[in-house]
């Protein structure tokens, strides 16, 4: 066995090929996709001598197992998990040399949700629109892994700078704190909506996936009940469907939608969202902190109190229009 490829022995609950995504195609209806925890994907790539954008495997909850057909340097990171090579314990968060024909297994996540497996040379499936990422919403890119499937490996970059024996990994959060900017449709909700978002009463739903982080908790009440024409959606948009429970859109999100977006999450907080397990508490906080008194206003027009919290006393307008309903 000398060809540069690996065979899937155990696919796990959901394992996909991901790189840093395909930005710049939203006007074609194609979302960015890519690793939900890009920081973890970059780190495993650096540990094996790859460029940051090389394709890796992203597992969900219970890991996966693969058998390289050639000797390869690999690294497992992201959500902490047990790592074995042919059943023998191996390092997590550090480079591991895997002999040809041996089975590399990433076990169930001990904490967090998604682990990442990087291989020297990267996963070399065909690129679509400049990316090897699997997009579960549009179907672009390779399908999720299945037992017996074979994935090609790229050629290592050759002699590379010495890699660290280990790398620092941020721990999965006990509480998911998401910084937000209100809008563009926050005035479609009652004045109490910002306080509800900041209450910390939400938890991650088991219905969450790569498309969006669905939340359980108090519904946000609408002040404007008209139908909203479909409009563009961005990564991190907090959309509110008819049941009033927010959805934070992640990498495979749709590019348009017909439900109002009450806020947008700071993109720097989304990797932590990728590691939040069902039941994890979620709290929203304003992305802009006041520098002086309680008279400071958020960029959306909502007032911030003296501790930088969104004040529920702000009014609402009637921005937006009528039109045919959303998706």
């Amino acid at each position: 066995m000398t060809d540069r490829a690996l065979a899937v022995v155990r696919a796990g609950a959901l394992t996909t090929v991901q790189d840093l995504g395909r930005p710049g195609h939203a006007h074609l209806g194609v979302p960015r996709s890519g690793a939900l925890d890009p920081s973890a994907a970059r780190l495993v790539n650096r540990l094996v001598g790859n460029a940051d954008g090389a394709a890796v495997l992203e597992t969900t909850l219970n890991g996966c197992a693969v058998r390289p057909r050639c000797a390869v340097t690999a690294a497992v990171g992201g959500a902490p998990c047990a790592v074995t090579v042919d059943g023998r314990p191996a390092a997590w968060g550090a480079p591991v040399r895997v002999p040809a024909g041996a089975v590399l297994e990433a076990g169930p996540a001990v904490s967090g949700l998604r682990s990442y497996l990087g291989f020297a040379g990267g996963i070399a499936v065909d690129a679509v629109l400049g990316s090897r990422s699997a997009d579960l919403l549009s179907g672009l890119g390779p399908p999720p892994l299945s037992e017996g499937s074979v994935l090609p490996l790229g050629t290592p970059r050759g002699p590379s700078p010495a890699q660290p024996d280990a790398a620092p990994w941020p721990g999965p959060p006990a509480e998911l704190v998401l910084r937000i900017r209100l809008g563009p449709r926050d005035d479609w909700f009652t004045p109490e909506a910002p306080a509800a978002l900041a209450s910390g009463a939400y938890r991650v739903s088991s219905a969450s996936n790569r498309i969006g982080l669905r939340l359980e908790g108090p519904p946000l009440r609408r002040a404007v009940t008209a139908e909203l024409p479909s409009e563009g959606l961005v990564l991190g948009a907090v959309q509110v469907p008819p049941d009033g429970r927010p959805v934070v859109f992640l990498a495979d999100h749709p590019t348009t939608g017909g439900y109002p977006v009450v806020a947008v999450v700071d993109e720097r907080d989304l990797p932590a969202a990728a590691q939040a397990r069902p039941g994890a508490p979620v709290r929203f906080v304003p992305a802009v902190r006041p520098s002086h008194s309680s008279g400071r206003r958020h960029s959306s027009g909502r007032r911030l109190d003296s501790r930088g919290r969104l004040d529920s006393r702000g009014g609402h307008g009637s921005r937006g229009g009528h039109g045919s309903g959303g998706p």
Side-chain angles (χ1 to χ4, degrees), residues 171-310:
E175 178 190 40
L176 182 60
V177 178
L178 300 175
R179 291 167 290 181
I180 58 171
R181 294 181 184 273
L182 290 177
R185 301 293 178 184
D186 54 306
D187 53 2
W188 279 52
F189 296 88
T190 64
E192 292 75 28
L197 287 171
S199 67
Y202 293 97
R203 292 188 176 272
V204 176
S205 166
S206 60
S208 301
N209 53 27
R210 281 186 49 86
I211 296 169
L213 192 75
R214 294 184 176 273
L215 303 181
E216 299 171 345
L220 301 183
R221 305 296 181 187
R222 292 271 294 269
V224 177
T225 58
E227 293 187 3
L228 178 69
S230 291
E231 56 188 5
L233 291 173
V234 299
L235 182 67
V238 183
Q239 191 187 64
V240 184
D243 67 3
R245 291 175 174 83
V247 179
V248 179
F249 278 128
L250 303 177
D252 288 356
H253 69 86
T255 56
T256 61
Y259 300 134
V261 171
V262 67
V264 177
V265 173
D266 189 315
E267 190 172 331
R268 294 170 295 179
D269 293 341
L270 295 179
Q275 299 294 0
R277 288 192 173 203
V282 181
R283 180 165 51 93
F284 296 92
V285 299
V288 178
R289 292 290 186 183
S291 57
H292 302 296
S293 68
S294 60
R296 173 84 175 246
R297 284 188 176 272
H298 188 271
S299 58
S300 67
R302 297 279 193 184
R303 188 176 296 277
L304 298 170
D305 68 15
S306 59
R307 297 177 63 186
R309 297 173 300 190
L310 295 167

Side-chain angles (χ1 to χ4, degrees), residues 307-322:
R307 297 177 63 186
R309 297 173 300 190
L310 295 167
D311 192 331
S312 64
R313 293 173 295 178
H316 61 82
S318 57
R319 187 169 62 219
H322 300 270

